[in-house]
Amino acid sequence: MTGRLVFVLALTCGITVGNLYFPQVVSPLVASGLGVAPTAAALVVTVAQLGYAVGVFFLVPLGDRVPYRTLVVALLGLTSVFLLVAGTATALPALVVGGGLAGVTTVAAPLVAPMVAGMVVPERRGAVTGTVLSGSIGGMLLSRAFGGVLGEGLGWRAPYLLAAGLCAVAAVVLARLLPSSAAPSRQRYPALVAESVRLLWAEAALRRSCLNQACVFGGFSAVWTAVALLLTGGRYGLDARAVGALALVNAVTMLCTPVAGRFADRRGPDVVNAVCFGAVLVAAAVLALGALGGAVGLGALVVGTLLLDVAMQSGMVANQVRIFALGPEVRSRLNTAYMTCAFLSGAAGSWAATALPGWPWVCTLVATLAAVAWLSAARRRGRAPAGRR
């Protein structure tokens, strides 16, 4: 695992994760370009997210059955084709189908994480996983900004076509850089898919990681759904570009995840999780000040979302270090169960943000979820034998 390969894998994760987020900013341009209603154009966002959930559950387990180089390169190639279909669509149905299929196949990031875990020594697993994850964070944060600028200047097709080209280049590069490897498992595909559910039932460490991330990611999703409503509402009266600028501020998170990974290597993932739960509680208190409006409220939103982002992403590194230590032959299936739980919780958090009566209630939800995770961890430490604490 060379530094060059780590960099390319992190960049690949950023490219593929970005495919899920740039449609959020180009959907209004799609509406005007194809002459459809904005609500109809928003389907491009919905189908991409739904497609990703399907891909995580049904394709990521193949990482334990198919050699990683073959699988990752093939999925990148398919994603490039589907994005090209979307970018050249002349009607909304073709765009929705192309974008949805691209969402299904753009699952390189959850495949790369277990692959990397198997290519480095355990003492470096957290640090390298954190570095690769920082690429995903960059894609999540930066794709919306660049997608908006590119779409405004060249039209809504430009981000799709650029993303298709980037995925094709990544496929070619990784076909040359990734080492060949044997598949770690010979199980049949239906058994691989069912195994993710069985592992969730059987492995206490996996359930612990899923609970940790579900609590934190649910609150994270609730905040980022509600903050757009808050900033564009009467309290602040800003436009959607303010939400994108807030996301760019949080790009500093990319620098924190490798640090969290090294800390997890030295002190263990439980310590990192405990710090993250405390950070989320502090973030909820700071974010509550956002209801004040004005400069004070805006500053609170910047600090609070930054703290929440750092805690969520650092906790993800710690949780993945824990689950990847359970067995090299099942890492993709472990990550499938973990990511599925996280995204289900994130969807529930986004729904809750629109159902709750106001911003203070969203902050209360974030604090409550963090408290649940912290209390669960405290009870587990209390039950553990003295030698295992």
Side-chain angles (χ1 to χ4, degrees):
M1 177 61 69
T2 64
R4 180 177 65 169
L5 182 55
V6 171
F7 173 78
V8 172
L9 289 173
L11 193 60
T12 300
C13 288
I15 291 169
T16 55
V17 168
N19 294 337
L20 303 173
Y21 290 93
F22 77 76
Q24 294 175 340
V25 296
V26 301
S27 64
L29 302 175
V30 169
S32 59
L34 295 181
V36 298
T39 52
L43 280 174
V44 299
V45 181
T46 303
V47 296
Q49 298 285 351
L50 289 176
Y52 185 74
V54 171
V56 167
F57 189 78
F58 288 103
L59 295 182
V60 171
L62 286 173
D64 291 329
R65 183 66 177 80
V66 180
Y68 278 115
R69 182 172 67 180
T70 302
L71 182 59
V72 171
V73 170
L75 289 175
L76 285 169
L78 288 172
T79 302
S80 177
V81 171
F82 293 142
L83 287 170
L84 184 63
V85 170
T88 57
T90 58
L92 184 61
L95 173 57
V96 168
V97 171
L101 291 174
V104 172
T105 57
T106 192
V107 292
L111 280 167
V112 163
M115 177 182 69
V116 166
M119 294 174 67
V120 297
V121 296
E123 293 77 16
R124 293 189 61 227
R125 189 169 291 151
V128 175
T129 300
T131 300
V132 172
L133 181 60
S134 68
S136 298
I137 301 168
M140 180 178 67
L141 297 176
L142 301 178
S143 62
R144 285 173 286 193
F146 287 114
V149 172
L150 197 62
E152 288 288 352
L154 300 176
W156 67 266
R157 300 179 190 275
Y160 281 97
L161 297 177
L162 176 62
L166 290 174
C167 287
V169 171
V172 172
V173 173
L174 288 179
R176 296 178 60 86
L177 289 184
L178 280 178
S180 60
S181 60
S185 173
R186 303 299 298 176
Q187 279 187 287
R188 295 173 63 86
Y189 174 71
L192 287 175
V193 175
E195 185 76 356
S196 297
V197 179
R198 188 198 68 79
L199 286 169
L200 185 61
W201 179 266
E203 297 288 350
L206 176 60
R207 293 196 301 273
R208 185 194 324 169
S209 293
C210 289
L211 176 63
N212 292 345
Q213 194 64 15
C215 288
V216 176
F217 192 67
F220 170 87
S221 297
V223 164
W224 279 101
T225 300
V227 77
L229 302 175
L230 179 67
L231 289 176
T232 57
R235 179 72 65 179
Y236 288 93
L238 301 174
D239 58 23
R241 289 176 297 182
V243 183
L246 188 62
L248 285 177
V249 169
N250 287 271
V252 71
T253 310
M254 291 185 292
L255 305 177
C256 299
T257 48
V259 177
R262 288 191 290 270
F263 196 76
D265 289 335
R266 293 195 303 267
R267 300 293 301 277
D270 287 350
V271 176
V272 176
N273 281 138
V275 173
C276 291
F277 299 151
V280 174
L281 287 169
V282 174
V286 174
L287 286 167
L289 299 176
L292 298 176
V296 172
L298 194 57
L301 293 178
V302 170
V303 174
T305 55
L306 178 58
L307 188 58
L308 180 62
D309 280 19
V310 170
M312 190 277 289
Q313 301 290 358
S314 298
M316 178 171 283
V317 174
N319 291 325
Q320 288 185 317
V321 168
R322 182 186 297 109
I323 66 174
F324 291 156
L326 294 176
E329 72 283 355
V330 292
R331 284 190 178 123
S332 288
R333 285 164 283 176
L334 291 165
N335 205 38
T336 295
Y338 173 73
M339 295 295 289
T340 300
C341 289
F343 273 89
L344 287 175
S345 177
S350 297
W351 172 83
T354 60
L356 291 171
W359 179 253
W361 286 97
V362 173
C363 298
T364 302
L365 173 65
V366 173
T368 301
L369 290 172
V372 167
W374 185 85
L375 288 172
S376 176
R379 288 181 60 190
R380 188 169 50 251
R381 288 194 299 270
R383 292 195 304 264
R388 294 181 60 187
R389 293 182 187 177

